[in-house]
């Protein structure tokens, strides 16, 4: 296990090793100290991988380079490319499972669109609410339904956001659509 003191040292290590695992942590933080303690107990035999660590209290140029905003974070580099980031404190066995890739890692293909955050505010007796939910389902759009007749706080929140009391109201990534405006909904969701 190797301590890294700057970005150039990490990049040099990546030049000569196929797989590099870097634990970014912050000494003195409970979660980070937990992660570093468990990480330091790991014994690996794979000659193609290197385990290293860096304390962000002292090393300031690595986390901005890879857009890491919270620690502890375990960065995995393969052939000089960042492949995965795992956050939080893990037990030694969990770290080993991550190294062995026996845990499931979700990656998005390059042509896959990011999922939209969709909330539909409804009441049980609203026929247009049923129409919009059916439209979303037919187009494979995941959404969260909020029944404002049963949840007074949600009803107040809906009115605060839109200034309207009528349903359905659909919120798509923070934009509110009152009623079933199919053209606008399709445009915001990328439905042809």
């Amino acid at each position: 296990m190797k301590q890294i003191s700057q970005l150039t040292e990490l990049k040099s290590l990546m030049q000569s090793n196929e797989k590099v695992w870097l634990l970014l942590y912050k000494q003195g933080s409970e979660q980070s100290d937990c992660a570093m303690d468990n990480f330091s107990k790991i014994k690996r035999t794979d000659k193609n991988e290197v385990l290293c660590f860096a304390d962000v209290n002292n090393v300031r140029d690595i986390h901005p380079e890879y857009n890491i905003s919270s620690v502890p974070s375990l960065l995995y580099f393969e052939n000089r490319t960042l492949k995965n980031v795992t956050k939080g404190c893990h037990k030694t066995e969990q770290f080993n499972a991550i190294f062995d890739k026996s845990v499931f890692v979700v990656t998005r293909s390059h042509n896959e669109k990011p999922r939209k955050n969709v909330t539909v505010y409804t009441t049980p007796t609203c026929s247009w609410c049923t129409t919009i939910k059916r439209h979303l389902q037919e187009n494979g759009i995941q959404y969260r339904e909020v029944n404002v007749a049963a949840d007074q706080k949600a009803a107040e929140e809906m009115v605060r956001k839109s200034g309207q009391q009528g349903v359905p109201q659909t919120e798509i990534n923070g934009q509110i659509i009152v009623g079933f405006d199919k053209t606008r909904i399709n445009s915001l969701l990328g439905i042809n």
Side-chain angles (χ1 to χ4, degrees):
M1 196 164 304
K2 180 168 178 42
Q3 183 171 358
I4 301 295
S5 59
Q6 60 185 351
L7 179 61
T8 54
E9 188 179 352
L10 174 65
K11 290 193 174 189
S12 172
L13 201 58
M14 286 191 279
Q15 290 292 339
S16 55
N17 294 280
E18 182 183 337
K19 300 175 188 174
V20 175
W21 296 90
L22 171 68
L23 178 68
L24 285 177
Y25 76 107
K26 184 175 185 175
Q27 187 173 9
S29 156
E30 185 179 336
Q31 282 287 310
S32 284
D33 289 343
C34 165
M36 185 59 201
D37 183 50
N38 292 332
F39 189 74
S40 66
K41 295 175 186 171
I42 295 168
K43 304 283 188 258
R44 300 294 291 175
T45 57
D46 187 342
K47 303 263 189 259
N48 293 322
E49 69 183 8
V50 174
L51 304 183
C52 49
F53 59 93
D55 182 352
V56 297
N57 287 319
N58 305 317
V59 182
R60 299 258 187 220
D61 56 353
I62 296 174
H63 62 280
E65 176 79 9
Y66 298 105
N67 294 318
I68 303 301
S69 58
S70 66
V71 291
S73 290
L74 179 66
L75 286 67
Y76 171 54
F77 299 92
E78 190 174 305
N79 298 320
R80 297 178 295 283
T81 303
L82 179 63
K83 293 288 189 175
N84 194 30
V85 177
T86 307
K87 296 187 179 285
C89 176
H90 301 282
K91 294 181 180 177
T92 304
E93 304 80 28
Q94 292 170 310
F95 277 125
N96 277 315
I98 292 166
F99 298 146
D100 295 335
K101 295 190 172 112
S102 59
V103 292
F104 181 72
V105 177
V106 176
T107 57
R108 187 174 3 139
S109 66
H110 295 293
N111 58 357
E112 184 181 336
K113 295 177 186 171
R115 186 171 288 147
K116 305 278 188 185
N117 186 6
V118 181
T119 303
V120 181
Y121 296 95
T122 66
T123 61
T125 57
C126 166
S127 62
W128 285 109
C129 297
T130 304
T131 303
I132 191 164
K133 291 186 296 182
R134 186 180 314 114
H135 179 68
L136 295 173
Q137 290 163 359
E138 287 170 354
N139 287 283
I141 305 295
Q142 292 184 358
Y143 63 92
R144 180 174 72 100
E145 180 179 3
V146 178
N147 177 356
V148 293
D151 186 340
Q152 183 61 35
K153 286 195 185 302
E156 291 168 4
E157 172 87 0
M158 177 189 77
V159 172
R160 185 186 59 74
K161 288 179 180 180
S162 69
Q164 303 283 325
Q165 291 185 354
V167 289
Q169 289 190 34
T170 308
E171 182 174 6
I172 302 171
N173 285 355
Q175 292 193 41
I176 301 289
I177 300 133
V178 179
F180 182 50
D181 184 342
K182 188 175 181 179
T183 305
R184 185 150 180 246
I185 289 168
N186 288 354
S187 172
L188 288 173
L189 293 172
I191 298 171
N192 295 332

